[in-house]
Amino acid sequence: MEEATERRDSRVSTVVDVDLGSRSYPIYIGSGLLDVPDLLQRHVHGKSVLIVTNTTIAPLYLDRVVKALTQGNPDVTVESVILPDGEKYKNMETLMKVFDKAIECRMDRRCTFVALGGGVIGDMCGFAAAAFLRGVNFIQIPTTLMAQAIVSDTVDSSVGGKTGVNHPLGKNLIGAFYQPQSVLIDTDTLNTLPDRELASGIAEVVKYGLIRDADFFEWQERNMQSLLARDPSTLACAIKRSCENKAEVVSLDEKESGMRATLNLGHTFGHAIETVYGYGQWLHGEAVSAGMVMAVDMSRRLGWIDDSIVERVHRILQEAKLPTHPPEVMTVEKFKSVMAVDKKVADGLLRLILLKGPLGNCVFTGDYDRKALDETLRAFCKN
């Protein structure tokens, strides 16, 4: 991973490179980047562009992105498809609307798809790009902290090439690994983000500190109030550090054969919550927050971490106004039935990401005492 600054336009404060050989790509981070045409145009290979966005984001940013793509570039034709907003629409039926538009507009293999929105839009547009004509170029423009920080798994979703849709029996079970041409993060878009969605994105930021970056976690403890207050320099620092962490992991393990799975701390429990409770009832980061607390609790029961880490995790998530307990609808059996079809199950064995050792260390393993999992589930469920 290489970082560069001030490339071609002074508004690009940081560039983080995701090093994947021929599939490498830059993440541009800065204020006002939607108004810098060259940052988008340099990554459009053909003459046709399809912007995929939703009913919330389109009125705010669609015209600006169209202008950035076409300014001084009359040969490019830009079309758009506006999808309904929300996790509950992240399914095959909604995805077909993207294919319908692309086919109606006679897009060819030289076209470029642009994902303009949060993690749901990024996941669906990326999957559509991977499947349409067996693969076309696409660009990510994440507009939520969740998507910017995971640029993830949405602070994850725009970085790393994970794409897909949900199934009624499980989250993100249908998808592909498919890398974008570039990711453009205009930090000004966070100004229009509701407080609840900002907090949801912070959950993914906290995750990076827990699994691999203790210094970053300590920085968050000192700066959480500034993050919640949307201080521009604090938000930019959090996004940059999160992107650097993810880029390094993805560069080493693009298709989640081992190390990359650690980015899913709390997600096995969290995805079960989203599946049972109903997609969109809780935001993804809210479910991950409760899931991280459960994973940390299990790590303590195994004797892998001390009580001080458990207390610090509770404290920082509560300060961020995030859930530290699953909704009452969750039962032990409901958790187990959904977790049994989780993507991290291998040969019938559920593997989990758990903390082990000092802060900033974790393991991805199926080698743990099942009693600890049962005890954690019973402790967080009423029945």
Side-chain angles (χ1 to χ4, degrees):
M1 181 184 64
E2 175 190 346
E3 178 186 320
T5 58
E6 305 296 329
R7 294 188 185 176
R8 298 195 189 186
D9 193 284
S10 61
R11 281 173 283 190
V12 180
S13 60
T14 301
V15 180
V16 176
D17 290 325
V18 182
D19 185 5
L20 292 169
S22 62
R23 295 179 309 287
S24 298
Y25 57 92
I27 306 168
Y28 304 109
I29 304 170
S31 172
L33 300 192
L34 293 184
D35 301 316
V36 184
D38 180 60
L39 289 181
L40 286 175
Q41 293 182 18
R42 72 177 77 163
H43 297 289
V44 174
H45 294 172
K47 296 182 178 181
S48 299
V49 176
L50 177 62
I51 300 174
V52 181
T53 187
N54 64 35
T55 52
T56 300
I57 297 301
L60 298 172
Y61 304 117
L62 179 57
D63 288 347
R64 287 174 64 188
V65 174
V66 171
K67 181 179 178 181
L69 287 163
T70 57
Q71 185 173 319
N73 197 21
D75 293 334
V76 168
T77 299
V78 180
E79 303 286 350
S80 63
V81 57
I82 301 174
L83 305 178
D85 185 16
E87 186 81 28
K88 65 182 179 180
Y89 299 108
K90 186 180 171 183
N91 53 40
M92 293 298 291
E93 181 181 358
T94 306
L95 187 70
M96 285 300 155
K97 297 179 186 299
V98 181
F99 295 130
D100 290 347
K101 186 69 175 181
I103 295 168
E104 288 169 8
C105 295
R106 300 186 179 183
M107 299 276 174
D108 61 27
R109 284 183 169 171
R110 292 273 295 164
C111 75
T112 298
F113 286 9
V114 175
L116 175 62
V120 171
I121 288 294
D123 281 5
M124 286 201 295
C125 180
F127 189 29
F132 184 63
L133 301 179
R134 296 193 175 95
V136 297
N137 296 331
F138 88 107
I139 297 168
Q140 289 268 20
I141 307 178
T143 59
T144 66
L145 182 60
M146 173 76 73
Q148 291 180 3
I150 25 212
V151 170
S152 248
D153 306 309
T154 29
V155 159
D156 287 306
S157 61
S158 60
V159 175
K162 278 188 178 181
T163 71
V165 295
N166 299 330
H167 186 278
L169 298 180
K171 184 177 170 72
N172 293 335
L173 294 182
I174 303 165
F177 288 97
Y178 196 69
Q179 303 297 340
Q181 295 295 305
S182 66
V183 178
L184 188 149
I185 297 177
D186 187 334
T187 54
D188 291 350
T189 60
L190 297 181
N191 294 332
T192 59
L193 200 62
D195 290 344
R196 184 183 174 194
E197 291 195 23
L198 180 73
S200 178
I202 287 174
E204 296 280 4
V205 176
V206 170
K207 173 196 71 181
Y208 287 111
L210 290 174
I211 63 172
R212 67 189 317 270
D213 195 341
D215 289 343
F216 188 28
F217 186 85
E218 292 166 1
W219 177 88
Q220 293 168 40
E221 289 179 310
R222 296 191 303 271
N223 290 278
M224 182 55 67
Q225 288 306 310
S226 293
L227 281 172
L228 295 173
R230 304 169 190 251
D231 175 73
S233 61
T234 307
L235 281 171
C237 183
I239 294 165
K240 173 178 177 288
R241 189 76 166 257
S242 297
C243 288
E244 287 172 342
N245 271 293
K246 184 156 191 182
E248 183 174 350
V249 172
V250 171
S251 296
L252 295 171
D253 180 18
E254 180 182 3
K255 296 192 175 178
E256 201 167 274
S257 59
M259 178 186 290
R260 184 171 178 175
T262 63
L263 297 176
N264 291 309
L265 175 70
H267 284 58
T268 302
F269 296 103
H271 286 173
I273 292 170
E274 291 182 272
T275 301
V276 172
Y277 200 27
Y279 298 125
Q281 294 298 314
W282 271 19
L283 297 176
H284 177 64
E286 293 170 336
V288 167
S289 175
M292 287 194 295
V293 172
M294 296 178 74
V296 169
D297 177 87
M298 183 175 166
S299 301
R300 180 188 60 79
R301 292 177 188 276
L302 289 166
W304 292 356
I305 59 173
D306 60 42
D307 290 343
S308 67
I309 294 178
V310 178
E311 293 165 2
R312 291 172 72 183
V313 171
H314 270 268
R315 188 161 55 245
I316 197 168
L317 293 176
Q318 288 171 346
E319 187 177 2
K321 300 179 175 61
L322 286 163
T324 56
H325 201 280
E328 291 185 1
V329 69
M330 298 303 298
T331 65
V332 172
E333 289 309 312
K334 286 177 179 177
F335 264 114
K336 285 187 172 182
S337 65
V338 178
M339 291 165 74
V341 295
D342 186 86
K343 297 185 296 298
K344 292 175 286 299
V345 172
D347 298 325
L349 181 65
L350 175 62
R351 298 174 294 172
L352 293 170
I353 297 88
L354 300 166
L355 302 187
K356 190 171 187 178
L359 183 69
N361 291 272
C362 68
V363 292
F364 173 46
T365 182
D367 185 14
Y368 54 82
D369 188 343
R370 265 51 188 174
K371 290 181 180 179
L373 174 58
D374 290 341
E375 289 172 0
T376 290
L377 292 176
R378 285 196 297 269
F380 284 86
C381 299
K382 285 193 172 181
N383 50 19

